[in-house]
Amino acid sequence: MGKKKDKINVSQCLGLPVLSGHGAACDKMFFNNNKKHSLTTINCLAKSTSSELCLSGSAFDQHLYKDGNHFNIISFPNSSMTPRKKLQGLVAATVTPMTPDGQINLSVIGQYVDYLVGKQNIKNIFVNGTTGEGLSLSTQERKQLAEEWVCQGKDKLDHVIIHVGALSLPESQELARHAAAIGASAIAVIAPFFFKPTNKDELVAFLQKVASEAPEVPFYYYHIPPLTGVKIRVEELLDGIKERIPTFQGVKFSDTDLLDLAQCINKNEAEQFEFLYGVDEQLLGALAIGANGAVGSTYNYLGQKTNLMLQAFAKPDLVLARRYQFLTGEFLNFVIKLGFGVAQTKAVMTFVSGIPMGPPRPPLIDASEEFIIKAKAKLDSIVWPDGN
């Protein structure tokens, strides 16, 4: 198998002993697939036409994906084995690390996880979203990233939400099945935005067809009308949605329309949906009307400061909470005037974390050296209430 080393790394990460061998006709792998230490043997004929096979053990799900004339096999903890923790607080919208030549760089994901947990006190992530350039990645790249984040986050992260939205319904469904197979905490789907849904029923029908491919995985709608142009109000969308999508868990609400968000929260308290706000510079306002938490790019490098804002809000010490929000806004206002997007976010993450995030995927271009110098100087100049 061409990727034997990667398979062993994934399995070792999950604590699975592996013995593998291969011959001219087939590859053979042995996995300890449950607590009783029984072995599963899988023979993968290179000539097989199947693109995916799936086995389940009492503790692990084993999935076999065809890659050219070979198969890759990975074992992940069965998602049904671990009770779901309540999602609250901050969720970092992860960037996708890339090599200088623009290939995804899986080798730094483990370091990235340790940095988020240890330096930013962040234990929830949102993978392959806007900040992660998900719609600029191939299906295979998105799967590889999802696998690596789930693997490296084992016993370290509370929630790994995988964004599986795509313009193609079959692609989105394939990504949903894959996320379920690897034990993702939840999946999220953006509205298709080339051929757009024009009303609630069309949008819900699309979401339902994706969610049904992962029938045991919590499902979030990713609402971001400034990018999709799909302006169907979430308040309208939520009416009766549990009947159509039983796994519906909540919304990643990336819009400045706090009236819509407030109506969603007010009308759906009994459903206990989770409303995760996605406009970082306005988070405090969203918290005031009842948002459960937040998903954002700034929590990659300002997570610790924003957590202090959440603590102040909970006390409640609104003067202190506002101070943190104002300072976050001061930095964002500064960099937005310079030109701020995914490429610039990757640059900020690189100089804050020390982890090379690499360039963005074209058509985006690298942040300029001038931006990096000015953004770093501005961030360093801010005096936070905690004195750091």
Side-chain angles (χ1 to χ4, degrees):
M1 289 188 178
K3 297 183 180 179
K4 192 187 304 179
K5 182 177 179 181
D6 288 341
K7 290 178 296 188
I8 292 174
N9 285 344
V10 170
S11 303
Q12 288 174 341
C13 175
L14 296 166
L16 293 172
V18 178
L19 175 65
S20 64
H22 62 276
C26 67
D27 290 337
K28 183 180 291 184
M29 299 199 66
F30 305 84
F31 282 80
N32 176 356
N33 75 334
N34 62 38
K35 294 179 180 178
K36 295 181 180 179
H37 306 292
S38 64
L39 293 175
T40 296
T41 303
I42 301 174
N43 295 298
C44 315
L45 294 176
K47 294 181 180 180
S48 173
T49 59
S50 175
S51 62
E52 180 177 338
L53 300 174
C54 179
L55 300 172
S56 292
S58 64
F60 295 94
D61 288 337
Q62 298 173 350
H63 295 263
L64 195 62
Y65 294 97
K66 192 172 185 183
D67 182 11
N69 289 325
H70 299 282
F71 284 93
N72 296 325
I73 183 167
I74 49 176
S75 285
F76 290 87
N78 188 316
S79 58
S80 63
M81 298 296 291
T82 305
R84 184 179 187 273
K85 296 181 180 179
K86 181 177 176 59
L87 178 55
Q88 55 190 352
L90 301 181
V91 182
T94 57
V95 304
T96 293
M98 292 189 181
T99 60
D101 63 350
Q103 303 302 307
I104 60 171
N105 185 5
L106 301 178
S107 68
V108 301
I109 300 295
Q111 185 182 357
Y112 195 162
V113 170
D114 291 341
Y115 159 80
L116 287 175
V117 175
K119 299 296 185 180
Q120 299 297 338
N121 193 25
I122 296 291
K123 301 192 74 174
N124 308 304
I125 59 172
F126 187 93
V127 177
N128 291 338
T130 304
T131 303
E133 303 173 82
L135 274 297
S136 295
L137 304 174
S138 69
T139 299
Q140 184 61 27
E141 287 174 323
R142 293 175 71 170
K143 287 181 178 181
Q144 289 174 321
L145 284 159
E147 290 169 11
E148 194 68 15
W149 278 108
V150 169
C151 172
Q152 297 295 340
K154 181 177 181 285
D155 297 328
K156 295 179 180 179
L157 298 174
D158 290 337
H159 294 270
V160 179
I161 304 171
I162 306 297
H163 173 241
V164 301
L167 299 184
S168 159
L169 176 60
E171 180 182 348
S172 191
Q173 291 173 317
E174 180 181 349
L175 289 168
R177 289 192 296 270
H178 177 263
I182 64 174
S185 309
I187 59 174
V189 173
I190 199 171
F193 52 87
F194 188 78
F195 294 115
K196 299 179 177 68
T198 59
N199 57 53
K200 167 195 169 178
D201 290 339
E202 292 176 359
L203 178 54
V204 171
F206 181 89
L207 300 178
Q208 188 276 332
K209 288 180 184 296
V210 180
S212 64
E213 296 297 317
E216 296 182 2
V217 181
F219 180 91
Y220 292 85
Y221 169 53
Y222 180 7
H223 179 62
I224 185 167
L227 286 184
T228 64
V230 176
K231 298 181 180 180
I232 300 165
R233 290 175 65 80
V234 180
E235 174 195 0
E236 179 185 0
L237 180 78
L238 295 183
D239 186 22
I241 198 164
K242 269 286 194 179
E243 298 171 6
R244 298 286 302 277
I245 305 175
T247 54
F248 189 87
Q249 190 70 31
V251 181
K252 180 185 185 294
F253 194 102
S254 296
D255 190 21
T256 57
D257 187 351
L258 291 181
L259 175 60
D260 188 19
L261 178 62
Q263 292 302 301
C264 292
I265 294 169
N266 184 46
K267 292 184 176 182
N268 292 281
E269 286 185 312
E271 296 286 358
Q272 295 186 323
F273 292 147
E274 293 164 0
F275 294 97
L276 307 173
Y277 196 57
V279 184
D280 303 8
E281 61 270 28
Q282 296 185 356
L283 174 56
L284 189 56
L287 293 174
I289 59 175
N292 306 88
V295 181
S297 61
T298 66
Y299 312 137
N300 284 287
Y301 53 89
L302 291 177
Q304 191 260 352
K305 304 302 182 187
T306 309
N307 271 315
L308 292 174
M309 185 185 82
L310 296 187
Q311 293 173 21
F313 177 77
K315 282 185 179 180
D317 184 342
L318 296 184
V319 172
L320 181 59
R322 282 198 298 267
R323 186 65 185 148
Y324 278 107
Q325 184 72 94
F326 290 159
L327 290 172
T328 296
E330 180 181 329
F331 174 72
L332 290 174
N333 188 52
F334 179 84
V335 293
I336 286 169
K337 289 177 180 177
L338 296 176
F340 191 64
V342 171
Q344 291 71 27
T345 296
K346 296 183 98 167
V348 172
M349 261 299 286
T350 297
F351 71 67
V352 172
S353 69
I355 304 169
M357 294 298 165
R361 179 71 50 91
L364 301 181
I365 61 173
D366 264 328
S368 68
E369 190 63 33
E370 179 184 12
F371 171 87
I372 294 171
I373 292 170
K374 289 182 176 180
K376 187 176 187 305
K378 179 61 179 178
L379 195 56
D380 289 345
S381 73
I382 294 176
V383 179
W384 298 91
D386 62 331
N388 296 315

